[in-house]
Amino acid sequence: MGVRQLETTLTEAAAPARISGSAALRNELKYGLRFLVRHTLHYERRIRALLAQERWPRERLDSAADGLLLDTLQAAVRRIPRYHSLKAHLSVGNVREALAEHFPIIDRRDLMVRPADHFPYESAPRPWTIVGRTSGTSGSPLQMFRSLESVLWENAIVERHFRWSGYRPGMRRAYLRGDLVVPIDRASPPYWFHNRYNNQLIVSSRHLRDPCVDDIIEALTRFAPFMMEAYPSTAYELALLLEQRNSFLRIPYVFTGSEPLYPHQRQLIETRLATRVMDHYGMAERIAYATECEYGNLHLNTDYSYVEIVDDDGHPTDDEGYIVGTTFHNSVMPLVRYRMSDRTRWRPGSCACGRTYPMIEPVSGKFEDTLFGSQGQRISPSVVTFAFKALRGIKYSQVAQIGEGLWEIRVVPEAGFNEAERDRLIDNVRKLVDPGLRVVVREVDEIARTTAHKYRWIVNESGHDSKSTGEFRPRTEDPKSAVP
Ligand SMILES: [Zn+2]
């Protein structure tokens, strides 16, 4: 072996160790600090209080929410320039009426166009202010100022959902979201980091690919987590890779969120991970939080925020409408009647789980996640999945609306994909989804992801909404990435 070659070998051997040493230290500090911030003495008490109230009679829940709403409105008048001059008399008895009468509905554009009216501290965070960021996919990030209280409540509310599965502190949990726990170009295991503070195996979702995934499957099998937090797309990717290997994992619960969860994803995840998926709906603005229970119903957490569902004119509706929410627990920057582009409707009745929180239908219709047919009608993603059934050679796919009545289906092909399969796909869309659609199929090497490394199966890139509001609103991302 020549000197040069020996040097190369030594460098190659030393480099990964050096990188992984500093990455491991960084991880220890990051997750250790995070644990200290979250797990204060009050943490467990907070969660127990939240668990105790979820089966209260509805009137008692409502009056607790009225108290929190009053706190928020009073803080808004104090903190937010837009409401400084508001003269309304606010009390627990009239708080919902006062909200509807004196506080107009706002949305992301108000915050972006007139920050001076909507942000405290003249829009410049103080050194001690906790700042959360949303990263709109169209490059319009937005900052949110948060109180420490709001961060602690957020963590407790998220943790409460985990407890619905029977998860208790100290039990093994896995994590498969966006965290970069090992260098992205790492080519030998471990592709994970064991966060001993939470007994949590944090797996690098960047390494969910062929040369690395066998080690990841083995590590997850060995670790045997009781539950796993994941994006729908990362859990689905793992399920696909398991399917390709004709193999299974056993993780009793998978908690998903931050992206839409499509029925075909849920189905494969539940089969391949032998799991029950518990989805949730939330956002960085923290104006609504809904959690799926063991009976598959999505419960709106009324101790998290005050939610209204309104029609295009801003009036309350029992039909499908926009989600409008008012934050609780954040005295630094309360958001009042903030409208999302997400749509849902109230689900009447009560749930067999016994929790009294109101229920909503699965949230859909974010413009960028919505496909429209040849007549401008909304098309359900579940319906689109039918077009893909029984096709061969499609590793990954994405359905994009690129114009009015025009879809582009992007396919990462594998063995078996040919012209005949391509024609069958187009044919299926016309037969099973909408005969009037124009469809092009494009073969690609990979499906582009958003900046937060998230994957969307359905994507609307046509730039305008052909049916409802005619407005383009960037979606927000990853409600949990901003937690310190
Ligand atoms: Zn329920």
Side-chain angles (χ1 to χ4, degrees):
M1 187 183 280
V3 171
R4 179 171 287 273
Q5 200 179 345
L6 181 66
E7 269 174 10
T8 312
T9 314
L10 280 174
T11 315
E12 278 166 359
R18 204 170 53 236
I19 291 165
S20 94
S22 70
L25 185 62
R26 207 170 46 239
N27 288 335
E28 286 288 340
L29 283 170
K30 177 179 165 186
Y31 294 102
L33 269 173
R34 188 180 284 188
F35 183 83
L36 281 176
V37 171
R38 288 186 182 183
H39 295 254
T40 59
L41 281 175
H42 299 294
Y43 185 63
E44 198 54 40
R45 201 185 305 160
R46 229 181 265 258
I47 293 165
R48 276 205 299 274
L50 285 169
L51 285 164
Q53 68 199 39
E54 62 191 27
R55 288 181 173 80
W56 279 357
R58 181 64 74 77
E59 305 74 53
R60 194 172 169 195
L61 273 183
D62 283 351
S63 77
D66 286 349
L68 292 164
L69 183 57
L70 179 65
D71 291 345
T72 288
L73 297 190
Q74 285 171 338
V77 171
R78 243 182 2 252
R79 289 276 189 188
I80 307 295
R82 178 169 187 164
Y83 311 120
H84 278 343
S85 58
L86 202 94
K87 294 285 181 288
H89 170 72
L90 301 169
S91 72
V92 174
N94 76 353
V95 69
R96 293 183 194 220
E97 295 75 24
L99 177 76
E101 192 176 330
H102 299 289
F103 293 83
I105 291 173
I106 60 169
D107 64 20
R108 187 185 181 95
R109 285 168 312 167
D110 292 294
L111 269 57
M112 301 196 67
V113 175
R114 289 182 294 145
D117 288 348
H118 295 95
F119 282 80
Y121 310 136
E122 290 157 347
S123 313
R126 303 281 163 83
W128 57 86
T129 308
I130 300 166
V131 179
R133 289 182 179 81
T134 76
S135 50
T137 44
S138 60
S140 50
L142 192 59
Q143 291 190 338
M144 295 287 148
F145 301 170
R146 292 177 180 144
S147 65
L148 180 60
E149 265 305 278
S150 91
V151 173
L152 296 175
W153 274 111
E154 173 81 12
N155 294 332
I157 293 235
V158 169
E159 177 79 15
R160 171 182 49 188
H161 188 210
F162 299 155
R163 305 282 171 97
W164 287 9
S165 68
Y167 167 82
R168 295 292 174 267
M171 289 167 81
R172 287 186 296 277
R173 57 200 272 183
Y175 190 92
L176 187 64
R177 287 169 57 98
D179 288 31
L180 257 180
V181 280
V182 296
I184 198 160
D185 54 358
R186 186 165 190 141
S188 62
Y191 308 111
W192 49 82
F193 168 73
H194 181 240
N195 167 14
R196 58 203 161 98
Y197 307 98
N198 263 345
N199 202 6
Q200 182 184 39
L201 193 72
I202 305 173
V203 177
S204 163
S205 56
R206 316 298 198 279
H207 290 84
L208 275 183
R209 50 190 154 83
D210 260 331
C212 321
V213 75
D214 290 314
D215 289 310
I216 288 176
I217 292 169
E218 200 196 313
L220 281 170
T221 307
R222 226 176 23 238
F223 188 68
F226 176 76
M227 64 93 147
M228 179 167 83
E229 294 168 75
Y231 293 141
S233 62
T234 51
Y236 180 64
E237 212 154 308
L238 178 60
L240 275 173
L241 290 159
L242 284 162
E243 187 184 41
Q244 283 163 17
R245 285 157 176 73
N246 197 23
S247 118
F248 295 88
L249 277 169
R250 181 167 292 279
I251 302 176
Y253 290 89
V254 170
F255 287 87
T256 54
S258 309
E259 300 169 351
L261 169 69
Y262 303 107
H264 68 288
Q265 293 177 322
R266 182 192 286 267
Q267 201 182 356
L268 193 70
I269 295 165
E270 294 199 330
T271 308
R272 286 289 152 180
L273 277 66
T275 195
R276 162 152 204 111
V277 172
M278 305 270 274
D279 195 31
H280 78 267
Y281 167 71
M283 72 297 295
E285 290 91 336
R286 300 187 172 175
I287 57 97
Y289 200 72
T291 43
E292 184 180 335
C293 74
E294 55 275 43
Y295 288 84
N297 283 318
L298 203 51
H299 290 276
L300 203 64
N301 295 193
T302 58
D303 33 26
Y304 181 86
S305 68
Y306 179 73
V307 170
E308 306 163 72
I309 298 176
V310 304
D311 62 19
D312 289 356
D313 302 319
H315 301 304
T317 178
D318 287 329
D319 283 336
E320 190 185 80
Y322 291 102
I323 293 172
V324 169
T326 299
T327 49
F328 290 165
H329 311 299
N330 185 1
S331 56
V332 170
M333 184 178 165
L335 281 176
V336 181
R337 305 193 85 198
Y338 183 92
R339 188 174 84 154
M340 304 298 295
S341 52
D342 302 323
R343 294 166 67 84
T344 186
R345 71 170 74 206
W346 297 110
R347 176 178 283 186
S350 54
C351 182
C353 76
R355 296 182 186 91
T356 40
Y357 295 123
M359 295 178 287
I360 56 173
E361 297 291 338
V363 176
S364 68
K366 231 172 233 198
F367 168 67
E368 289 171 69
D369 302 327
T370 308
L371 294 173
F372 297 93
S374 55
Q375 308 298 313
Q377 76 277 25
R378 277 170 199 273
I379 303 269
S380 148
S382 318
V383 171
V384 183
T385 62
F386 288 115
F388 285 82
K389 294 217 167 110
L391 286 180
R392 280 158 39 86
I394 296 179
K395 191 171 181 192
Y396 302 110
S397 62
Q398 183 175 56
V399 184
Q401 178 128 29
I402 55 173
E404 225 165 284
L406 177 61
W407 291 8
E408 179 176 90
I409 301 180
R410 292 154 196 162
V411 169
V412 178
E414 56 183 3
F417 192 77
N418 53 29
E419 223 164 283
E421 290 300 302
R422 193 196 62 198
D423 292 345
R424 272 181 68 198
L425 175 57
I426 295 173
D427 210 40
N428 282 354
V429 174
R430 297 228 177 93
K431 272 196 199 130
L432 303 169
V433 183
D434 181 348
L437 275 170
R438 286 170 297 147
V439 183
V440 288
V441 173
R442 189 155 67 90
E443 290 184 36
V444 294
D445 292 333
E446 58 180 348
I447 305 288
R449 284 169 176 269
T450 67
T451 44
H453 198 67
K454 293 198 294 189
Y455 161 83
R456 299 209 314 269
W457 182 56
I458 297 288
V459 57
N460 193 319
E461 299 167 354
S462 68
H464 71 281
D465 187 329
S466 55
K467 186 75 176 175
S468 60
T469 63
E471 294 158 357
F472 180 82
R473 291 207 187 81
R475 64 177 295 193
T476 54
E477 290 187 351
D478 204 355
K480 272 184 257 165
S481 68
V483 175

